[in-house]
Amino acid sequence: MNLVVALKFYITQMTEESGPGMKVLLMDKQTTSIVSLLYSKWEIFMKEVYLFERLDTNSRNEEVKHLKCIVFIRPTKENIELLRNELRYPKYGTYYIYFSNIIANADIKLLAESDEQEVVKEVHEYYADYLAVSPHLFSLGITGCSQGLLWNPAHLQRTVLGIISVLLSIKRCPYIRYQSSSEMAKRLAERVREALTKESNSFNFRQESSPVLLILDRRDDPVTPLLNQWTYQAMVHELLTINNNRVNLSHVKGIAKELKEVVLSAEHDEFYANNLYHNFGEIGQTIKELMDEFQKKVKKHQKVESIADMKTFLETYPLFKKLSGTVSKHVTVVGELSSLVERHHLLQVSELEQELSCQTDHSMQLQKIRELINNQQIREIDMTRLVMLYALHYEKHASNDISGLISLLKNKGVSEKNIKFIHHILEYSGINSRHSNLFDREAVAKITRKLFKGLSGIDNIYTQHTPLLNETLEDLMKGKLSPQTFPYLGNMVISKRPQEIIVFMVGGTTYEESLAVYNLNKQNPGIKIILGGTNVHNSQSFLEEVQCATSGILSKYKNNNN
């Protein structure tokens, strides 16, 4: 169940089935993202693909008949129509067509009718209709999957197709469980089962185990995506945003041209692969070690005194240049993270976030929030998120002062948009919307006290929080997950503990939850878990999700407190 391996197999097949010779890769916007996550341009060049084109922006300039065209697109109505036009007036010599998901026979017939010059050599379904972020994490790249707390029909259909593609690519036909308190989770579960039934011939696999597809709703845990993060990958996404493995650093003062956009890919960057789950303190130490290694090599290469020395230098230069690029990239990224942490007092903010998430001390936490709101160095969005966490935690507390904190934010000049987020989050995921009590969980009482390395031996106050997903998966693995709260579709009950679990989070997942799944996989060698979501959120994209989900809904809390 390795998602990266599954999709790379498909891409390799595409480039090899057309045989030797120069090729062009013709894609759409989504499949371009799918491929760019898996391969660097150099790796694609090595497969004799020398040109990349987009079907939706493909120019009708000169014909290039000596090129073979590999078409890799999603089987949408728009793409079918664009491809029909391409085949009527073919720009390339031959076409090898690969759809990223199941294609209707009627659409195949339409394409055949358009292929008057008989340039199409092969047509295949290759199930690569999702973003393989890591071997155990996938995303569909959808922000705002619901409107009015119900599925946007187009996003529901896209999500069904994405999950079906994942299952086909890893050759699994699972039992389906879903969160009973979520109408969206139930609806998705039903639609996936309909698709499995309709395409039963495609799912006729031999399976040694009985995999489970568990469908959850982000609304049950709004806390995880609101928190500052302290592992490298999650921290970069929270503070700088990772978009298809790319990080925009053009805003950094004095940034070198080649570092304005950097690629962070575990597939192509050994340092990143080895450190993406390490905490910020550890990263500082490993960056220092990386620089020491680089400086030793620089010193060694300064002594080029003979032909033999020159030969050695030329042989090692590509590796030397690669190491130089790695050092520059990660020193720049970590330097910017450090700058943001210091400038915006994020350690102080994060400490209070963790207390609000994991401890109950109403009067003390209320006082700390007021102090931070009055601190000129704290960002507006950080103040807002602290009040959101407070509102979620103490919504029903007899002495809660949500209104007072909102007034304090208004007096500080916080934007109306951010103020509205506090009302939105209670509408999206207030206590009446959640089946679990996030702030009184057994796991909270088992907070570890290990050292947060590199931050002057401070106790691990910044990583106390454990996502609700961790607890849910542990219960599932032990066979203790409530069949009432998480029923099997069709009211069946399977007593056997699952060895393979595919989790899908409606409303988006996070890198903190990806880390939890990574650790569970490592700690339980006999069990394999993969995690997916409509999106991989940082706090900013999650707030956009919440805003979209609650649009058109009049906030009851707002009405009651005006």
Side-chain angles (χ1 to χ4, degrees), residues 101-283:
N101 216 316
I102 296 166
I103 177 89
N105 289 332
D107 288 335
I108 295 287
K109 187 179 178 185
L110 288 174
L111 291 173
E113 290 169 358
S114 303
D115 184 24
E116 295 173 358
Q117 298 186 39
E118 299 184 350
V119 290
V120 176
K121 298 303 177 189
E122 292 187 28
V123 179
H124 294 282
E125 293 173 347
Y126 274 5
Y127 309 111
D129 205 12
Y130 59 91
L131 298 163
V133 183
S134 76
H136 69 269
L137 176 65
F138 72 93
S139 167
L140 301 180
I142 300 168
T143 296
C145 66
S146 71
Q147 290 175 324
L149 300 175
L150 294 171
W151 273 108
N152 172 315
H155 292 329
L156 173 59
Q157 177 62 11
R158 172 70 188 98
T159 301
V160 171
L161 291 173
I163 291 173
I164 290 298
S165 171
V166 169
L167 297 176
L168 286 168
S169 70
I170 59 174
K171 294 182 169 52
R172 299 294 188 277
C173 186
Y175 294 104
I176 302 173
R177 296 184 75 170
Y178 65 95
Q179 186 179 310
S180 63
S181 62
S182 167
E183 186 59 36
M184 288 181 71
K186 183 181 180 183
R187 183 78 182 111
L188 178 59
E190 291 169 344
R191 287 288 303 273
V192 169
R193 184 175 64 174
E194 287 170 15
L196 290 176
T197 303
K198 183 182 176 185
E199 304 295 339
S200 57
N201 289 338
S202 298
F203 283 91
N204 192 18
F205 308 126
R206 289 185 62 187
Q207 295 184 144
E208 294 180 7
S209 66
S210 302
V212 168
L213 169 63
L214 177 64
I215 299 177
L216 306 175
D217 193 325
R218 176 79 275 158
R219 292 175 68 193
D220 215 37
D221 177 8
V223 169
T224 298
L226 285 175
L227 301 177
N228 269 293
Q229 299 300 313
W230 295 100
T231 54
Y232 192 30
Q233 181 185 46
M235 195 177 179
V236 172
H237 191 44
E238 176 57 33
L239 296 179
L240 299 172
T241 305
I242 302 172
N243 186 10
N244 288 343
N245 284 349
R246 284 164 173 75
V247 179
N248 186 343
L249 295 173
S250 60
H251 62 281
V252 178
K253 192 175 179 181
I255 191 82
K257 185 179 178 182
E258 66 273 14
L259 292 172
K260 285 188 175 181
E261 183 181 80
V262 298
V263 177
L264 294 180
S265 166
E267 290 296 303
H268 308 113
D269 182 334
E270 187 180 357
F271 179 86
Y272 185 61
N274 291 338
N275 291 283
L276 75 169
Y277 298 129
H278 288 173
N279 71 44
F280 190 50
E282 292 169 321
I283 292 296

Side-chain angles (χ1 to χ4, degrees), residues 218 221-230 350 353-359 389 438-439 441 443-444 446-448 460-470 510 512-513 515-516:
R218 176 79 275 158
D221 177 8
V223 169
T224 298
L226 285 175
L227 301 177
N228 269 293
Q229 299 300 313
W230 295 100
S350 179
E353 286 175 353
Q354 294 288 321
E355 288 177 14
L356 285 163
S357 305
C358 302
Q359 300 168 29
L389 289 166
L438 278 175
F439 303 100
R441 289 155 49 204
V444 170
K446 298 176 182 174
I447 296 166
T448 57
N460 188 20
I461 53 178
Y462 305 105
T463 54
Q464 298 173 43
H465 176 261
T466 303
L468 178 62
L469 175 66
N470 197 82
T510 65
E512 186 181 350
E513 287 157 332
L515 172 60

Side-chain angles (χ1 to χ4, degrees), residues 273-528:
N274 291 338
N275 291 283
L276 75 169
Y277 298 129
H278 288 173
N279 71 44
F280 190 50
E282 292 169 321
I283 292 296
Q285 183 59 38
T286 49
I287 282 281
K288 184 179 182 304
E289 290 166 4
L290 183 68
M291 286 194 70
D292 290 345
E293 180 192 352
F294 178 66
Q295 285 168 348
K296 280 179 191 173
K297 293 192 175 183
V298 168
K299 205 168 184 181
K300 187 178 177 184
H301 283 308
Q302 283 173 346
K303 298 178 181 178
V304 180
E305 297 170 350
S306 65
I307 296 296
D309 289 340
M310 289 174 67
K311 186 171 182 291
T312 302
F313 175 74
L314 289 171
E315 285 172 352
T316 58
Y317 182 73
L319 290 173
F320 176 78
K321 190 176 179 184
K322 184 179 179 182
L323 181 59
S324 171
T326 299
V327 171
S328 300
K329 175 170 66 178
H330 290 289
V331 166
T332 303
V333 170
V334 172
E336 182 60 14
L337 293 177
S338 299
S339 174
L340 290 168
V341 168
E342 186 177 350
R343 195 185 321 150
H344 302 303
H345 293 235
L346 294 183
L347 289 174
Q348 199 176 349
V349 171
S350 179
E351 182 176 351
L352 183 50
E353 286 175 353
Q354 294 288 321
E355 288 177 14
L356 285 163
S357 305
C358 302
Q359 300 168 29
T360 298
D361 187 344
H362 176 260
S363 57
M364 179 64 75
Q365 290 170 6
L366 180 58
Q367 180 59 31
K368 285 184 177 181
I369 293 172
R370 287 172 177 156
E371 289 171 3
L372 284 184
I373 289 175
N374 286 314
N375 184 330
Q376 299 297 327
Q377 304 301 317
I378 306 300
R379 292 183 301 180
E380 185 176 307
I381 191 60
D382 292 326
M383 297 177 195
T384 306
R385 286 191 293 115
L386 286 170
V387 177
M388 291 171 80
L389 289 166
Y390 173 87
L392 287 166
H393 192 152
Y394 296 111
E395 183 182 0
K396 297 296 184 183
H397 193 281
S399 305
N400 90 55
D401 192 22
I402 300 172
S403 297
L405 290 174
I406 289 174
S407 296
L408 196 55
L409 290 174
K410 287 179 178 178
N411 291 338
K412 290 291 290 184
V414 170
S415 69
E416 184 63 25
K417 180 182 178 183
N418 282 334
I419 297 292
K420 283 181 178 177
F421 280 139
I422 300 161
H423 302 300
H424 287 319
I425 197 71
L426 290 173
E427 200 66 60
Y428 179 80
S429 199
I431 198 164
N432 295 329
S433 304
R434 306 191 302 265
H435 92 267
S436 62
N437 188 343
L438 278 175
F439 303 100
D440 188 26
R441 289 155 49 204
E442 188 182 350
V444 170
K446 298 176 182 174
I447 296 166
T448 57
R449 304 301 294 171
K450 63 187 177 182
L451 293 182
F452 192 44
K453 295 178 186 175
L455 286 175
S456 308
I458 299 171
D459 277 336
N460 188 20
I461 53 178
Y462 305 105
T463 54
Q464 298 173 43
H465 176 261
T466 303
L468 178 62
L469 175 66
N470 197 82
E471 190 179 304
T472 304
L473 286 173
E474 284 183 341
D475 285 348
L476 178 58
M477 290 187 293
K478 294 171 186 172
K480 294 180 179 178
L481 194 63
S482 165
Q484 286 75 42
T485 310
F486 298 96
Y488 284 89
L489 205 58
N491 294 320
M492 65 176 75
V493 177
I494 311 296
S495 57
K496 196 175 178 183
R497 294 183 188 182
Q499 301 299 300
E500 296 180 328
I501 302 165
I502 302 110
V503 191
F504 188 83
M505 187 79 75
V506 175
T509 188
T510 65
Y511 282 122
E512 186 181 350
E513 287 157 332
S514 171
L515 172 60
V517 168
Y518 172 82
N519 285 332
L520 286 171
N521 281 329
K522 200 161 70 169
Q523 293 156 10
N524 301 276
I527 294 175
K528 184 65 180 171

Side-chain angles (χ1 to χ4, degrees), residues 527-539:
I527 294 175
K528 184 65 180 171
I529 308 167
I530 61 175
L531 170 66
T534 42
N535 200 1
V536 179
H537 284 308
N538 57 14
S539 61

Side-chain angles (χ1 to χ4, degrees), residues 77-121:
K77 286 184 179 179
E78 295 79 8
N79 280 346
I80 297 298
E81 198 52 44
L82 287 168
L83 186 53
R84 289 184 72 194
N85 290 335
E86 175 72 28
L87 295 178
R88 287 190 191 104
Y89 309 101
K91 184 176 174 181
Y92 306 104
T94 54
Y95 288 75
Y96 298 79
I97 301 171
Y98 301 90
F99 291 104
S100 67
N101 216 316
I102 296 166
I103 177 89
N105 289 332
D107 288 335
I108 295 287
K109 187 179 178 185
L110 288 174
L111 291 173
E113 290 169 358
S114 303
D115 184 24
E116 295 173 358
Q117 298 186 39
E118 299 184 350
V119 290
V120 176
K121 298 303 177 189

